[in-house]
Amino acid sequence: MTRTRTTLTATVFVAALTLAACGNEGSPTTGTGGGGSASGDAAPSYAVASDVAITGSPTFDKIKAAGKVRIGVKADQPGIGLKDAASGQYAGFDIEIAKLMAAKLGFAPDAIEYTETVSANREPFLQQGTVDLVVASYTINDKRKAVVDFAGPYYIAGQDLLVAKDDTSITGVDALSGKKVCSVEGSTPATRIRDEHPEATLVTFDTYSKCVEQLTSGSVDAVTTDDAILRGYAAQQPDVLKVVGAPFSEEPYGIGLAKGDTALRNALNDAIEAAVSDGDWKKAYDFTLGGSGTDPEPPTVDRY
Ligand code: GLU
């Protein structure tokens, strides 16, 4: 199954239009809202808190002094964190969560400085202070908690498989024997395949979009990562790709921050809880991932 780049681009464009046509009910359609959002609806806005004080947070002190929040996000994951090449604008659920958190900390969207992250550099970026926060399909787990802290979870994904639309052989994680499976270095899905499924041949890149290119060119049999990410790629090429739909892990997404900044972690957990109860979380979800027809309950934050 070899596709030229031109065909791929055309398919992506058509898929984006198709998604835009679906829209979300109940909100005005502007056609351009959201900086490239799948829905095409007007981007939600979040009330920016005033006079926020967080005592005992070195990161918040830095943010206040700089007058901007530096947030690490993904740039190639449709529905989650996607940078529009033409406008340079980011869109996706993580971007909405980033804007929401900034608003609750007292910062408008134009005070956010986005930095592109890949899976493997999220901990180093936080440890080195390259960014203040990471909102990047970032699974909370004990290994990572040894070096960074997390607020959340704000969403629960599950590891799944993306395969060619006409593939009937890969029905789930137990059907990977002898198959070439692509994932990203530094991610929990790659680790799980390496540790628990040695019968599969794991191929890794630094981004999932490179894995998707490998799949569409026929170089690998499947891409594995979180279902929420894979659904975004499948929506871009619905005639070519499908998500198997048999999740085999829980991936609780957290907001990464510097280890030991408990005051900021508490403030972000408060912010997530407030966003769930005041409806902002749902607005953020419906505008982005909600376009795939899913309507999950927001998770309860874990104040570990
Ligand atoms: N949620 C998983 C992780 O944090 C996979 C997605 C990603 O690599 O960003 O490793």
Side-chain angles (χ1 to χ4, degrees):
M1 181 183 39
T2 306
R3 300 174 67 85
T4 65
R5 191 162 290 276
T6 317
T7 314
L8 273 175
T9 309
T11 312
V12 168
F13 183 64
V14 170
L17 287 179
T18 310
L19 277 170
C22 298
N24 289 344
E25 73 285 331
S27 49
T29 300
T30 65
T32 55
S37 151
S39 72
D41 288 354
S45 60
Y46 311 107
V48 179
S50 51
D51 300 326
V52 179
I54 304 174
T55 318
S57 166
T59 310
F60 190 69
D61 291 347
K62 218 187 321 170
I63 292 171
K64 273 293 230 199
K68 63 178 184 194
V69 200
R70 299 164 308 152
I71 307 184
V73 295
K74 294 294 185 84
D76 72 327
Q77 297 177 191
I80 304 276
L82 184 68
K83 187 177 183 178
D84 182 73
S87 68
Q89 298 266 351
Y90 284 85
F93 185 53
D94 280 349
I95 306 306
E96 295 305 310
I97 294 291
K99 287 183 194 162
L100 246 172
M101 293 302 109
K104 306 259 185 218
L105 295 179
F107 292 88
D110 61 5
I112 302 174
E113 188 178 287
Y114 294 109
T115 296
E116 181 179 344
T117 61
V118 294
S119 301
N121 65 17
R122 293 173 294 192
E123 289 93 283
F125 272 19
L126 287 168
Q127 289 173 294
Q128 291 154 14
T130 310
V131 295
D132 303 309
L133 303 175
V134 167
V135 189
S137 55
Y138 200 8
T139 294
I140 303 169
N141 65 27
D142 289 343
K143 188 168 170 242
R144 291 172 179 168
K145 271 157 69 176
V147 291
V148 299
D149 268 323
F150 288 99
Y154 61 87
Y155 181 71
I156 312 275
Q159 185 171 351
D160 210 323
L161 297 156
L162 183 74
V163 297
K165 183 94 185 228
D166 57 3
D167 187 324
T168 50
S169 65
I170 301 179
T171 47
V173 71
D174 295 328
L176 295 180
S177 183
K179 301 285 188 185
K180 271 196 182 168
V181 182
C182 192
S183 196
V184 162
E185 211 47 68
S187 74
T188 52
T191 303
R192 191 167 290 108
I193 295 297
R194 196 174 276 132
D195 293 351
E196 298 172 23
H197 294 280
E199 73 282 9
T201 303
L202 179 67
V203 178
T204 58
F205 286 86
D206 60 343
T207 64
Y208 294 109
S209 48
K210 288 182 189 159
C211 280
V212 174
E213 282 176 20
Q214 295 291 304
L215 179 61
T216 52
S217 70
S219 303
V220 300
D221 302 301
V223 178
T224 190
T225 186
D226 304 333
D227 46 8
I229 299 171
L230 297 177
R231 279 198 286 266
Y233 292 122
Q236 285 190 323
Q237 305 185 65
D239 298 333
V240 179
L241 301 172
K242 67 179 180 193
V243 180
V244 168
F248 49 94
S249 75
E250 274 213 344
E251 306 292 330
Y253 285 6
I255 298 163
L257 68 152
K259 181 139 185 82
D261 199 333
T262 309
L264 183 60
R265 178 154 55 90
N266 287 336
L268 293 170
N269 279 330
D270 292 346
I272 295 169
E273 281 178 349
V276 168
S277 54
D278 67 18
D280 278 351
W281 185 95
K282 183 149 174 54
K283 274 201 274 179
Y285 188 86
D286 287 349
F287 181 62
T288 53
L289 294 179
S292 63
T294 51
D295 188 18
E297 279 295 309
T300 306
V301 303
D302 174 17
R303 291 177 185 268
Y304 64 85

